[in-house]
Amino acid sequence: MPEHGRISSVQLFLLLYITEISTTFLIIPGVLAKEAGTDSWLVSLVPVTVYGLAVALVCVSLAGRFPNQVFTEYLPRVAGRWPGKILAAAYIFFFVHVAAVILSQGANYIHTAFLRETPLLAIELLLLSVAVYGVYLGIEVIARQNTLVFALFMFSLLLLVTFVLEHFSFKNLLPVLENGMFPVLKASALIISWRGEVFFILMLYPYLNRKQEALRTASGVVVFSGISQSAITLVATGVFGAALLPNMVFSIHELVRYISIGFLERMEVFIVVIWVAGLIVKLAIFIHAASTAAAHTLGLKNYRWFIVPATLAALVLSETIFRTSLQQHEFFTGMGRYYASIFQLLLPGLLLFTAVIRKRRDRAGAEKT
Amino acid sequence: MFRLISRITRPGKKRHNNSTRPQERCKVAPSEEKRQVAAGLEQNKKIVHEVFDRCADLVVREFLIGRVNPVRAMAVFLDPLVNRDLMSEFLAHPLMEVDRVPPAGVTLDWLKERVVTAGSILEKRRWVEAGNGIAKGLVALFVDGQSRVILLDIPEVTSRAISQPISEQTLRGSADAFNEDRRTNLALLRKRLRSTRLAVENLELGTVTKNVVSIVYLKGYADGGLVDEVKTRLRRIEIDGILNSEQVTEFIQDSPYSLFSGVGTTERPDIIAANLLEGRVGLILGNTPYALFVPATLGVFMQTPDDYSNRYWYGSFIRLLRWAGLFIALLMPGFYIAVLSFHQEMVPTVLFTTIMADREGVPFPIFVEALIMELAFEMLREAGVRLPRPFGQTISIVGAIVIGQAAVSARLVSTGMVVVVALTAVASYTVATIPLASVVRLLRFIFMFAGSGFGLFGVTAAMSLLTFHLCALRSFGVPYLSPAAPLSPDILRDTLVRVPVWMMRRRPRFLNPKDPVRQPAGHKPHPPAGRISGRRRKKGGR
């Protein structure tokens, strides 16, 4: 492993948090309202958190067996040489694919809502070039930058909630659990793929300063993002009501439009600007993971060779995967909701099982021979 | 082509592995280096005229020492650098009034210990050192029959008196600033740090300038590795001339291509003293009033002594104001362009109609307008530096009013733009230190470009790029955005605001100081315990 950056537990926490929240906070209320109605806020809080904790547990246990190696490095050791390489290739594809999906979603949103006359490609290139610079500089820099993004994010979220509260009414949240827990559980399947992004800890484990705190940090992320998503959903449902929400794709966009402080109106741009900053960090993380994974699978030491290919792949994919936004919607709400959990829970779970059985483990502190 | 790609993809920065070289690289032939001072005076005189040929200000003053069987001696010095009166008092008088010579004869030890009354004396054997000494302004005393030479330091005062700082004025701080004489600068520093802890190590920079740099730090406070690293980097410098501290900065900083400086500079001894107390290392050079200190983080460039000489509430307020000024100076033109070009819905309707009415008849798009105004302002600013004093004030005021007013009347720019540019300029002057202010002036244009291309998303993307760069910068190993980027509670103590002195109990963590505790607990001032009359005051209690 060429150079290990060093990330502290707090930085890891903020990194995983922003990776998840930056794309979800915009769309979650709308996505959930159709299935769960007034109980959407419960969805993020309970069932999805359980899933997230399961992912965190599995991934930290697996990563803890190989403390100095990134996931794709020990994949061949656990699963056998060729199955391992194939699985690693699948993961590389997964990272690039998800990067492409969020890139296309984000660029589409900016293009449709704000910069109508700017070509999609230009927006995507703008976002990607900043993310690529971050990946080039290394994971430590991304983590440090993320601290600033997090501060900005929290500040603006708090401002948003404060100014929107005048339109909030508790009546919109009643009745609670009208149809029992079942709709809540059904709806939870929609968003588990985002909470499961804690699985990045598999790729980030060797960079941690204090690896023994990893499980605590990961669980903390799961719980904290559950609370924040729940709070956002609560506010959105309270302001709009469960009847209106399903029709909004970007509910927070609509929420910010409600804010009117004296002469300040139509402040959506600010929220989206912060979201863009978070999106850049998320893209950087995905491309970093893809490049590192590619470097190890192909046996090269320097992951920087793969930044440009991974980015180009993401760019091309983002232009071609969804032809209409309906297709995009189908991806998220149809079978696509289980797509990510294969890579986040199923595969690491199976690998953990295999590793335990085959007694594959690196002694603490030992380097791979 | 392949080499270019592999250079881009190579991890991290390549550091040239230069071993330390001796700084006395005179570019003379090795035989020259070893040439000894001759025993005979005539021979030495010949060498002097050889080495210093075509130096009309060289003075060779010959004496006779002793009344009986006088020994010949000569003093060689460069006239402009030596104080003639003191020279005759310390050298000529004592030598020429020597009555009795000791039985052993005229020896250099006797001269050094009994006769010559100058304060600082060196004895050298090689001609190279003698020649260098004369060139530096020392007086070389050659005695017939002795194969060593005495060098005396009798300097002429050649720099201005201690005066106010040129570029770092404060309202309520001390007003003595460094000047061009290194000894004076060290004196100003030692006056403030009167402890045996203050270490001063000298190195010479530049083969022709032979500028002496004093590395100053507090033993036990500064990290030992830091001091060694500073010395290593300074010793690595091989150049003919170092004329100002900026050149030294460019040699020793971590990232040579970055816009941001990793080395702090200041004219004020109190800033250097405060930084040394925090555990940094300072560099004091001659011939420049600007001293350097390392490691420097972004917070350092936003601190001024005024923060500390006012009460902490006001000090914190003006510091926050300065941070706001930094962001305004950086982002305001870009923000204005972005909002008016892409996000007009954000502007309150009344204001929007006014601005648009204002822009009626202006042929240029907002970005071009902004560019014209900003460039014009930068030119005015630069010209203002160079104008002779009688004209300066008048021309700048009139120029600004005329240009601004005339340009608006001619419908070249709109009044809104003038307001924005003026605000930006004012904000950029609040940035405390010149290195940062210059960077902000440059970066403004990038944000303007980004804003005109992609609106606020462009500004955000550019800001992200900037913060990525800043997060990756280090200054002598310390991350540039400490205490914000590797987050540490110090950010609330001395970076964004200024807490009372009794709260600043530790030195900054990111400097890795050897002794982190500045003061023990319990220093918060409080009224005396017990009765107010003070007669029964409890001793030493809370």
Side-chain angles (χ1 to χ4, degrees), chain B residues 41-289:
Chain B
L41 206 65
E42 289 304 323
Q43 216 175 341
N44 280 328
K45 223 201 295 192
K46 205 166 65 100
I47 303 177
V48 163
H49 285 296
E50 210 177 276
V51 170
F52 285 95
D53 73 330
R54 289 174 286 169
C55 290
D57 46 358
L58 184 79
V59 172
V60 178
R61 177 77 164 84
E62 300 193 42
F63 315 98
L64 289 171
I65 307 180
R67 298 204 193 281
V68 181
N69 285 339
V71 175
R72 289 175 57 215
M74 74 175 172
V76 182
F77 58 95
L78 286 172
D79 185 37
L81 291 174
V82 171
N83 187 325
R84 287 195 215 149
D85 298 330
L86 290 181
M87 205 215 70
S88 73
E89 185 182 322
F90 294 149
L91 189 60
H93 259 261
L95 281 186
M96 294 204 276
E97 306 207 331
V98 161
D99 218 358
R100 270 189 322 166
V101 171
V106 173
T107 58
L108 288 179
D109 287 327
W110 170 70
L111 284 175
K112 277 199 307 187
E113 289 164 15
R114 292 284 183 178
V115 183
V116 176
T117 46
S120 144
I121 289 193
L122 295 167
E123 199 175 300
K124 294 291 179 188
R125 184 176 282 254
R126 289 187 301 154
W127 235 109
V128 164
E129 290 165 323
N132 286 340
I134 298 174
K136 285 185 212 172
L138 303 176
V139 177
L141 179 65
F142 296 91
V143 180
D144 197 10
Q146 302 288 332
S147 60
R148 280 176 294 163
V149 60
I150 299 183
L151 297 168
L152 310 154
D153 192 10
I154 314 173
E156 174 75 82
V157 172
T158 49
S159 53
R160 57 192 167 105
I162 299 176
S163 57
Q164 277 200 344
I166 306 175
S167 57
E168 291 173 65
Q169 310 270 1
T170 54
L171 216 48
R172 288 183 63 182
S174 56
D176 53 352
F178 289 135
N179 66 7
E180 286 77 11
D181 181 32
R182 193 182 51 90
R183 275 184 76 228
T184 320
N185 297 345
L186 273 177
L188 287 172
L189 189 63
R190 280 226 178 251
K191 256 198 334 179
R192 288 169 165 82
L193 297 171
R194 300 171 170 223
S195 157
T196 47
R197 275 189 193 268
L198 181 60
V200 176
E201 303 191 38
N202 287 348
L203 281 177
E204 230 173 48
L205 295 175
T207 51
V208 175
T209 54
K210 295 202 175 61
N211 206 340
V212 176
V213 55
S214 298
I215 306 172
V216 291
Y217 58 95
L218 288 169
K219 294 182 272 204
Y221 290 177
D223 182 26
L226 175 65
V227 178
D228 293 332
E229 180 65 24
V230 172
K231 285 198 275 196
T232 313
R233 291 193 199 185
L234 281 174
R235 284 204 199 100
R236 226 166 45 191
I237 300 178
E238 261 186 67
I239 191 178
D240 51 359
I242 292 281
L243 290 171
N244 58 22
S245 46
E246 182 58 32
Q247 292 175 321
V248 179
T249 311
E250 289 177 11
F251 273 110
I252 63 176
Q253 59 186 357
D254 276 55
S255 0
Y257 291 117
S258 169
L259 277 171
F260 291 86
S261 173
V263 177
T265 106
T266 176
E267 261 186 297
R268 303 180 58 99
D270 49 0
I271 293 187
I272 294 276
N275 278 308
L276 291 193
L277 283 169
E278 287 195 339
R280 295 190 171 90
V281 173
L283 297 172
I284 299 190
L285 291 122
N287 295 324
T288 170

Side-chain angles (χ1 to χ4, degrees), chain A residues 3 11 110 114-115 118 126 130 133-134 136-137 140-141 144-145 147 263 266 269-270 272-273 276 302 304-305, chain B residues 5 8-11 335 342-343 345-346 348 454 456-457 460-461 464-465 467-469 471-472 474 479 485-486:
Chain A
E3 345 116 26
Q11 284 176 326
I110 299 177
F114 302 100
L115 302 176
T118 313
L126 179 75
V130 182
Y133 184 52
Y136 173 73
L137 289 172
E140 248 190 73
V141 174
R144 277 188 220 150
Q145 151 98 324
T147 321
F263 57 88
R266 299 289 302 271
V269 190
F270 282 127
V272 182
V273 149
V276 162
N302 189 356
R304 287 182 172 91
W305 282 107
Chain B
I5 297 182
I8 296 176
T9 55
R10 197 171 304 142
F335 181 78
F342 290 88
H343 310 291
E345 70 266 10
M346 270 177 57
F454 291 93
L456 279 182
F457 300 103
T460 313
S464 289
L465 270 179
T467 41
F468 268 135
H469 178 72
C471 288
R474 282 178 185 265

Side-chain angles (χ1 to χ4, degrees), chain A residues 32-288:
Chain A
L32 288 176
K34 205 179 301 185
E35 297 261 357
T38 53
D39 302 326
S40 326
W41 58 279
L42 270 175
V43 178
S44 297
L45 206 51
V46 183
V48 187
T49 310
V50 171
Y51 172 81
L53 287 172
V55 172
L57 192 61
V58 166
C59 292
V60 173
S61 319
L62 183 56
R65 299 178 83 85
F66 304 90
N68 287 319
Q69 292 183 333
V70 173
F71 181 58
T72 41
E73 249 183 307
Y74 53 80
L75 206 47
R77 283 181 67 191
V78 175
R81 191 150 174 254
W82 288 112
K85 295 249 180 199
I86 295 176
L87 276 177
Y91 266 91
I92 299 172
F93 172 74
F94 176 64
F95 292 138
V96 172
H97 185 202
V98 176
V101 166
I102 47 184
L103 184 64
S104 98
Q105 194 182 32
N108 241 315
Y109 173 42
I110 299 177
H111 174 75
T112 327
F114 302 100
L115 302 176
R116 289 259 176 81
E117 307 195 8
T118 313
L120 259 181
L121 194 62
I123 305 176
E124 290 175 353
L125 275 176
L126 179 75
L127 295 171
L128 274 180
S129 41
V130 182
V132 159
Y133 184 52
V135 182
Y136 173 73
L137 289 172
I139 189 75
E140 248 190 73
V141 174
I142 301 178
R144 277 188 220 150
Q145 151 98 324
N146 190 54
T147 321
L148 303 168
V149 171
F150 175 79
L152 201 59
F153 186 85
M154 274 294 130
F155 178 67
S156 51
L157 214 56
L158 284 170
L159 274 184
L160 162 66
V161 169
T162 320
F163 287 124
V164 134
L165 276 179
E166 54 171 328
H167 304 287
F168 183 82
S169 94
F170 260 112
K171 280 216 302 236
N172 285 332
L173 293 168
L174 302 174
V176 183
L177 288 180
E178 182 179 20
N179 299 324
M181 272 304 271
F182 190 63
V184 173
L185 292 174
K186 248 182 61 154
S188 66
L190 285 168
I191 54 175
I192 50 174
S193 40
W194 283 298
R195 192 68 60 87
E197 274 171 14
V198 193
F199 88 111
F200 261 112
I201 208 165
L202 283 173
M203 297 294 289
L204 295 176
Y205 199 76
Y207 302 113
L208 293 179
N209 249 338
R210 292 202 220 129
K211 300 190 167 67
Q212 58 271 27
E213 294 182 2
L215 186 59
R216 222 171 53 171
T217 316
S219 343
V221 172
V222 171
V223 171
F224 189 55
S225 42
I227 297 177
S228 12
Q229 278 177 3
S230 174
I232 295 169
T233 320
L234 195 72
V235 171
T237 322
V239 171
F240 291 126
L244 201 54
L245 262 185
N247 298 324
M248 298 179 183
V249 182
F250 297 109
S251 21
I252 301 300
H253 180 119
E254 308 287 340
L255 198 63
V256 182
R257 220 178 251 204
Y258 254 76
I259 300 180
S260 148
I261 325 161
F263 57 88
L264 284 173
E265 291 182 337
R266 299 289 302 271
M267 300 275 108
E268 305 93 77
V269 190
F270 282 127
I271 290 293
V272 182
V273 149
I274 299 193
W275 170 78
V276 162
L279 185 69
I280 289 175
V281 171
K282 186 165 180 169
L283 280 171
I285 286 286
F286 271 95
I287 297 179
H288 176 90

